[in-house]
Structure formats: structure tokens, C-alpha cells
Amino acid sequence: MHVGIAGAGIMGRTLAFSLLERGHQVTLFDRDPVQEGGAAAYAAAGMLAPLAELESAEHDIYRLGRRSLRLWPGLIDRLAADVDYHRLGSLVVAHGADGAGFREFHRRLSNQLPQQERENLCLLQGEALALEEPDLADRFGEALWLKGEAWLDTRKLMTALADYLPGSGARWHATTPVESLAPGVIRTGHEDHCFDVVVDCRGLGARDAIPGLRGVRGEILWLDAPQVRVNRPVRLIHPRYRLYLVPRQGNRYVLGATQIESDDSGPVTVRSSLELLSAAYSLHDGFSEARVVHMEANCRPALDDNRPRLIAGDRLLRINGLFRHGYLLAPALAELATDWLENPNPVDSGHDVLFSFDNEEAHD
Ligand SMILES: Cc1cc2nc3c(=O)[nH]c(=O)nc-3n(C[C@H](O)[C@H](O)[C@H](O)COP(=O)(O)OP(=O)(O)OC[C@H]3O[C@@H](n4cnc5c(N)ncnc54)[C@H](O)[C@@H]3O)c2cc1C
């Protein structure tokens, strides 16, 4: 098959990778240059956290996320690039006043998890916490360790994919806005590009084609904090925000993220930066002397129920609604999409497909 992909954000790039691995031809189109642009993928913190998300997201997201966690290491090995990928789990902590919220989070997550997977939740107290995260043990008496969760540096990954894909045979039309898609056709400017099948991975750029697609604003800060040593992502339970800290190489931390019902991707607001920075300081005193080296806002592409969709049509597939789970889900969605492209089922046309994920056990 020769597949045309509109949009080279994380979904488009991961799908291109999956198709090339299965021996297909791929041509990507993006309105931005190859190594930079307005994709939400550039703003993402890179948490691969199906357990933590299960507390507020649908079970499908957890199962797809688990599948992705199995796929990421192989994908990263093939890229042969340093993308700062780690799998040490993540921690959830709360200050004393938010203890009830912490216990409720633990309870809800335990209830949501199938019995045999509850061993992935581990309450660390006192010495055990000091062994895993010495810098946090002074301030927090306990933490919930979500084992097996992972994280990566999203910008490094986007760059690594941009280096790998053309080297593996993908054609890439950068700075080429797509005007419209039709069965087997991607239209740019006055040109029609014909393929066996086309896939729409334009994120929020597909609003003209997907009713109800909306933006959910997220803001993040990058901190340079030589006085802090935290080894794995940490979430802070807070009555109003969902805040997390994700370590990067070289004393850097990504602090995120706000979640605001707005498609405004303008600069980070004073209020959001105050809230994020106060949260960081409440986690660790060492953040008082940290430098804010970067601030960024972007919008997550989301549908009404905040679940992703693969929408099948005649020689046209749309993948969208990745919301706050783009990295968590992209490899599993790419795999499902590739399976479907190889064996399209005509009865799926016009419907949302592929959410039963019955084949998970076979893949395991
Ligand atoms: C602050 C923040 C933090 C996040 N943190 C995480 C996280 O920790 N973990 C996680 O899993 N997810 C996270 N996300 C979510 C993740 O970034 C998104 O789910 C993901 O980027 C969506 O992927 P996508 O490929 O569908 O869209 P995008 O990444 O936005 O890519 C869409 C691409 O389509 C291109 N495009 C659009 N219109 C056109 C057109 N007409 N012609 C040509 N090209 C076009 C764009 O230029 C872009 O390159 C976060 C998001 C934000 C904003």
C-alpha cells in the first residue's frame, strides 16, 4: 500500500513508523517544518501513565496505554536515538491537608484496576519512600508508587522520528498545508496527491472534518533546578489542579499542566504560572532557586467524551481526539490503524471503529 498521511504530529509520525515496519510506502504532509511547529506534540510532557490516567479516564485508555507501554521500547530501539526514555514508575503525593484526596485517589484506582494488576500500586512509607526518592521523604510521609509507568522527552522523540522516517523511505512534504481530504486523495494548493488510502492525523487542524472536535488548553513550564533530585515523575494531589513534575536530563524538569476548556493557545498566563510554580515549590524547596527556562501553551485535540477515535471511511481513515493521551496511546492506535488499513472491513465505514481491543491478549 502507498498511504498518504495528513499531519506529522505524534500520531502521524507513529503511524508512518508502523506502516514502514510492515513494508508499506508512506508520504507525510504537514503545514510546519520537519523539526518544529505548532503540533501539540511539542508541548507534551511525555508521561506514559496509564495507571494514573485510569483514575479519571475510561478503561479503554488504560488498556490501549498498557499496550503502548509494551510497544514503546521496541520503537525506541529501532530509532537508535537518545530520547530520554525511562520506566521507573511514577509517584503520587499529597500534602497533609489533601490527605483525604490522596486516600480517595488510591481507593478509586484500586477499585478500577483488575485484581491481578493491583500489585502495580504500591504505598511507600517512611524508609521505603526515602530509598526510592530521598528528596521527597522529608516532606511527604507516604507516596503511591505506580509501577511500570514510563516517560520520555517528547521533543527528542519528535526529532528522532523526523530523522528516522525519511531515512527509512518515507516521503515528507514539509511546510505544505493540506486543504482537504477525499477517498485516496490529499489536496494541497492546486495539487491532488493520490494514494491507495489516506489517513487524517491533523489533530485540531481537522476541525472542519470532525464535528465536535475541540481544543483543551494546557500550559507547561521547564525548570532548570540543580538543587532538586527527583528520579521519576511525581503527581501532586490537589483539590483544584492536576499537577505533575517530569524529570529531564541535565537537572531539568517539566512542570505541568493546566487543563482549561479553551482553544486559546496564546502565551502562558500569570495565574497559571503562579499556580504551577507554587506547586513545584511545595514539592521541594530547591525549586526556589530554579530558573524558568521555557514556558509553553498548546491545545489538546479532544472529542466530547475525551476518548480517541478511529473513524473509518472509503479509503480514508481519521485518527483524532487523543486529548491528554497522545504519547500514551499513539503506538497502540498506530498498530490498530495499520491492522485496519491492511484489512479494512466495509461495515466499519462511517463508524468509529476499533474500541473493543479484543485482540490485546493475542498481542500480549
Ligand atoms: C501541555 C500539554 C501536555 C501534554 N502532556 C502529555 C503527556 O504527558 N502524555 C501524553 O500522552 N500526552 C500529552 N499531551 C497530549 C498530546 O500532546 C496530544 O494528545 C497529541 O499531541 C495529539 O497528537 P496529534 O498527532 O493528534 O496532534 P498534534 O500533535 O497536534 O499534531 C497534528 C499535526 O497536524 C498538522 N496539521 C494540522 N492541520 C494541518 C493541515 N491543514 N495541513 C497539514 N498539516 C496540518 C500540525 O502541524 C501538526 O504537526 C499533552 C498536551 C499538552 C498541550
Side-chain angles (χ1 to χ4, degrees):
M1 262 187 305
H2 190 180
V3 182
I5 301 178
I10 186 59
M11 191 63 244
R13 289 179 201 206
T14 317
L15 177 63
F17 178 93
S18 169
L19 287 162
L20 288 170
E21 289 287 290
R22 300 246 198 121
H24 302 292
Q25 274 181 275
V26 172
T27 301
L28 287 147
F29 296 80
D30 202 286
R31 62 187 173 196
D32 288 334
V34 172
Q35 298 285 12
E36 61 188 75
Y42 288 113
M47 302 254 286
L48 309 175
L51 282 161
E53 292 297 324
L54 184 58
E55 189 261 341
S56 60
E58 299 289 332
H59 211 78
D60 298 334
I61 308 240
Y62 171 70
R63 300 187 72 198
L64 285 166
R66 263 191 14 167
R67 177 68 192 146
S68 283
L69 275 179
R70 289 192 180 85
L71 294 170
W72 272 119
L75 192 159
I76 290 166
D77 275 357
R78 298 280 283 137
L79 297 181
D82 172 20
V83 297
D84 202 4
Y85 168 82
H86 305 273
R87 193 168 182 187
L88 296 175
S90 69
L91 292 184
V92 181
V93 295
H95 293 294
D98 299 321
F102 179 81
R103 285 186 293 280
E104 177 60 10
F105 180 94
H106 190 181
R107 189 192 65 75
R108 281 223 299 275
L109 205 51
S110 304
N111 287 347
Q112 298 260 34
L113 270 183
Q115 182 73 40
Q116 68 277 17
E117 289 165 34
R118 288 191 193 148
E119 65 192 25
N120 291 322
L121 289 188
C122 178
L123 192 62
L124 296 177
Q125 291 174 311
E127 276 294 301
L129 177 56
L131 268 176
E132 290 297 330
E133 289 291 351
D135 271 26
L136 297 181
D138 288 347
R139 191 157 289 196
F140 299 96
E142 58 185 3
L144 191 59
W145 186 14
L146 311 183
K147 288 183 176 177
E149 294 200 332
W151 73 100
L152 48 74
D153 183 325
T154 52
R155 290 188 176 232
K156 285 189 172 170
L157 182 85
M158 287 287 279
T159 300
L161 281 164
D163 291 341
Y164 176 90
L165 293 171
S168 300
R171 293 192 65 199
W172 194 310
H173 295 272
T175 56
T176 307
V178 169
E179 278 175 16
S180 61
L181 291 103
V185 180
I186 291 181
R187 174 164 294 167
T188 63
H190 297 297
E191 217 177 326
D192 280 352
H193 306 261
C194 296
F195 302 95
D196 296 311
V197 61
V198 299
V199 187
D200 184 357
C201 296
R202 289 177 295 163
L204 278 179
R207 263 190 285 209
D208 57 338
I210 304 180
L213 186 62
R214 72 186 203 286
V216 180
R217 178 177 167 88
E219 295 152 296
I220 52 156
L221 276 58
W222 296 5
L223 305 180
D224 189 12
Q227 287 160 358
V228 177
R229 182 159 182 105
V230 173
N231 302 307
R232 47 173 72 69
V234 180
R235 281 180 197 250
L236 180 65
I237 298 281
H238 188 284
R240 278 180 296 147
Y241 325 116
R242 288 191 189 155
L243 301 172
Y244 55 73
L245 187 73
V246 184
R248 292 273 194 266
Q249 282 162 350
N251 302 321
R252 289 266 167 105
Y253 295 88
V254 175
L255 180 62
T258 56
Q259 186 169 311
I260 301 167
E261 280 298 332
S262 161
D263 58 6
D264 168 7
S265 56
V268 176
T269 64
V270 169
R271 178 188 171 138
S272 295
S273 50
L274 283 172
E275 287 172 353
L276 291 169
L277 290 170
S278 307
Y281 184 55
S282 81
L283 276 176
H284 196 303
D285 285 344
F287 282 117
S288 58
E289 296 303 322
R291 309 286 170 159
V292 181
V293 291
H294 181 68
M295 291 186 172
E296 188 168 352
N298 211 316
C299 289
R300 310 164 176 100
L303 287 155
D304 51 356
D305 54 5
N306 293 336
R307 294 166 72 193
R309 297 281 198 290
L310 278 75
I311 304 168
D314 176 26
R315 295 170 67 207
L316 169 61
L317 180 68
R318 299 188 196 274
I319 311 177
N320 217 308
L322 274 61
F323 185 44
R324 49 185 286 138
H325 309 121
Y327 284 84
L328 176 62
L329 302 183
L333 291 176
E335 182 181 60
L336 287 173
T338 305
D339 287 348
W340 187 86
L341 290 168
E342 288 179 341
N343 288 298
N345 181 349
V347 296
D348 289 330
S349 269
H351 298 288
D352 302 347
V353 287
L354 308 173
F355 266 96
S356 62
F357 208 54
D358 291 335
N359 54 352
E360 185 188 29
E361 268 63 51
H363 284 307
D364 285 354

